[in-house]
Every structure is written in C-alpha cells, then in structure tokens.
Amino acid sequence: MASESTWINAPAKINIGLDVLGTREDGYHEVRMVMQTIRLFDRLTLTRKKDPGVRLTTNLKFLPTDENNLVVKGAKMLMKEFEIPGGLNIKLEKRIPVAAGLAGGSTDAASAMIAINSMYDLGLKHSQLMKRAVKLGADIPYCILKGTALAEGLGEKLSTIPKFPNCTILIVKPGIHLSTKKVYDALVMDENTYHPDIDAILAAMKESDLKGVCELMGNTLESVVVGEHPEIKEIEEFMLERGALGAIMSGSGPTVFGVYDDKDLAMKTKEEALQKFERSFAFVTTLYR
C-alpha cells in the first residue's frame, strides 16, 4: 500500500577522472568519466496531497520551484505515466552547493524518482528508472545507480567498476558559480587538449591502489576554467601542500576535492581553507557506496 509520506537523502558526486573525447554533430560532448558518490547529502521529504500537481518548496529562495527544477520534472513524469491520483508536496533541503560540479540538481531529481517509486509501489527496477531518467539529463541515471561507475557517451552509458579505495574527501568550493553549458561550450578540442588516462585510473582502482589513482586523477574541463578562475588551481595546490594524495576540480567546477588517507589532516586543512579562501564552502566526508 502506498505510504502517505517519505524522505530520502540525495548524495553528491565527484569525478575521479573526466575526459572529453570530442563534440558530436548535435553539439553535445562525448565523455568518459569515473564517477563516485560521497556522503554529502540534500534531503527530500515527499508527502501526498489530495489535489493534483507537484508543489516544491526549498530552503534556498533563488532556486526554481516550477518545471525548471528537475525534481518537479521527474516527479510529474512518473505521476503522469502511472496515472497516480492526487499530488505531491516535496520539501527540498539543499546542503550540496549549487552550480558546483557535484550533480546537486541531478541527484535531487534521481532521489525524487526513487522515492516516488517506493512510495507508490510502482515496482520499477533501478534499470527501469534509469531509462526514464535519461530523458531529463545525462547525469541522472548515474545518480540513481550511485557508487563507483564508469560513465560514457553523454554520461548516460554506465558500467560498474572496482570500488574507489576507502579514503577521506575534502570538498572546497570557492565563492563562484559556473554554468556547465558555458564551460563545455568554451572547451577547445585540439592536439593540445589535456586528456586524463581513464584506463590507467581503472587499472589502479582494480589494484585498490589509492595513491596510484590519485596520481592519475584529472579533468579535461579544468583547462577552460582555471584561466578565468585561478583560485581553483590555488585550492588544489593548497590541498597538495597540506598532505592531499591528489586534488582536482570536480565536473564542470568550481568545486575542488582532495583525497586524504588521514582524516585529522583533512579536517585541519578544511579549517585553514575556510580562513584562506573567502566565501568558500568546505566539507570533510567519506565515500558513499
């Protein structure tokens, strides 16, 4: 029987490696990425209501709460397909920074779809949810899958891979916002374009070689962003000087994450980062499996 109310945590993701292979005829980019969810969560609370429609409220006043929000789109898509009577109130508590390269919007939509599937006993497997989710965005199927994965194509072709070795993750987001579309549009693909070795990353992960993975981590999109926002490279160097095994920008940025094998060192670096980088967000966490 369908429940009246439920809640779900929506985890952020980081890119251990992000390679852009080229631009397709339709203007979208072919990518090859190693993805990992982390224990930094938004929370969604869903409650049934008698009148139809999806009503979204959020703790951030600047976020859209209509169909410009992927949560609303995903919820309406499932409710229409399965002819679910009545409507939904969805309360979204944002903790993942917005426009940060951490898939905050995508994970919220994915988690809303998972919650609705459970709440109304729709009986959809994860693979069935993922086929529907890709209509909303290329990252959303991964946010349903979670864990460690290789993403190819537009990001929607997913393969499970060896787990990323246990570690502590330090997240630092400087006080800037970046548009994913603008970052990709500004990427110049030529013989000088940097490409991380995704196969080597996968091989190191298979051996559970944390230091080896960290030495290989890389992001093609950094070349677009650091020229205009040098603080991203400064944060990376700041982490590396303070014991990070590796540090790169996640997704289309501007968030930087550092990998540590010492939690106390990560916590100390977080406090120093908050002092050094004005208006920054910093958070220490672990992997979400």
Side-chain angles (χ1 to χ4, degrees):
M1 182 177 176
S3 58
E4 290 297 319
S5 182
T6 191
W7 63 268
I8 187 170
N9 282 334
K13 68 85 191 161
I14 53 176
N15 297 92
I16 307 303
L18 191 164
D19 189 14
V20 182
L21 305 180
T23 308
R24 307 191 332 172
E25 289 184 4
D26 60 8
Y28 288 99
H29 290 79
E30 289 276 341
V31 296
R32 199 157 183 252
M33 306 182 291
V34 179
M35 316 271 270
Q36 176 65 56
T37 37
I38 59 172
R39 303 190 70 83
L40 168 59
F41 303 101
D42 289 342
R43 175 171 286 201
L44 293 90
T45 304
L46 296 82
T47 306
R48 296 173 71 185
K49 61 187 182 78
K50 291 182 180 179
D51 54 308
V54 176
R55 180 174 180 267
L56 176 66
T57 56
T58 150
N59 59 321
L60 299 181
K61 301 300 183 185
F62 60 85
L63 287 181
T65 54
D66 56 11
E67 290 207 20
N68 289 311
N69 192 302
L70 290 171
V71 170
V72 176
K73 278 188 178 180
K76 284 189 172 182
M77 181 173 69
L78 285 183
M79 297 189 78
K80 181 179 179 181
E81 178 184 352
F82 290 92
E83 299 179 346
I84 296 172
L88 269 180
N89 287 320
I90 303 177
K91 178 184 175 183
L92 170 60
E93 183 180 349
K94 288 293 295 180
R95 299 169 186 167
I96 302 169
V98 176
L102 298 172
S106 294
T107 193
D108 293 340
S111 297
M113 294 176 72
I114 292 169
I116 290 168
N117 182 47
S118 173
M119 192 174 179
Y120 291 97
D121 295 326
L122 302 184
L124 295 173
K125 298 177 181 177
H126 266 27
S127 59
Q128 293 171 309
L129 274 178
M130 288 159 68
K131 284 181 180 178
R132 290 162 171 81
V134 74
K135 299 172 186 176
L136 302 178
D139 271 354
I140 302 177
Y142 165 72
C143 292
I144 290 172
L145 179 67
K146 302 182 184 68
T148 317
L150 174 66
E152 299 176 284
L154 300 179
E156 85 287 5
K157 298 175 183 176
L158 299 168
S159 311
T160 54
I161 54 177
K163 290 180 179 180
F164 191 55
N166 287 331
C167 57
T168 298
I169 302 291
L170 168 60
I171 296 287
V172 176
K173 178 192 176 291
I176 55 176
H177 300 283
L178 296 176
S179 159
T180 298
K181 184 179 186 305
K182 287 182 180 178
V183 171
Y184 272 99
D185 286 348
L187 177 64
V188 176
M189 300 291 291
D190 58 26
E191 66 275 8
N192 297 317
T193 303
Y194 165 73
H195 296 281
D197 191 338
I198 300 297
D199 288 331
I201 291 173
L202 296 177
M205 289 174 67
K206 189 175 182 180
E207 298 297 322
S208 295
D209 180 3
L210 180 61
K211 289 184 179 179
V213 174
C214 290
E215 289 170 359
L216 293 161
M217 294 193 311
N219 183 343
T220 298
L221 297 177
E222 272 199 33
S223 62
V224 179
V225 178
V226 294
E228 190 172 344
H229 301 288
E231 58 265 53
I232 290 170
K233 185 59 70 176
E234 290 172 18
I235 293 170
E236 291 178 5
E237 292 172 354
F238 181 83
M239 290 181 179
L240 293 170
E241 289 167 359
R242 285 157 179 77
L245 301 177
I248 64 168
M249 185 181 83
S250 181
S252 56
T255 299
V256 173
F257 71 91
V259 180
Y260 287 79
D261 58 6
D262 183 328
K263 182 180 178 182
D264 291 340
L265 191 55
M267 293 295 292
K268 184 173 183 290
T269 307
K270 181 195 87 166
E271 296 304 322
E272 292 176 354
L274 289 171
Q275 294 294 321
K276 181 175 177 61
F277 301 103
E278 293 183 3
R279 300 183 297 118
S280 62
F281 167 90
F283 189 78
V284 172
T285 186
T286 54
L287 309 179
Y288 179 82
R289 303 296 193 183

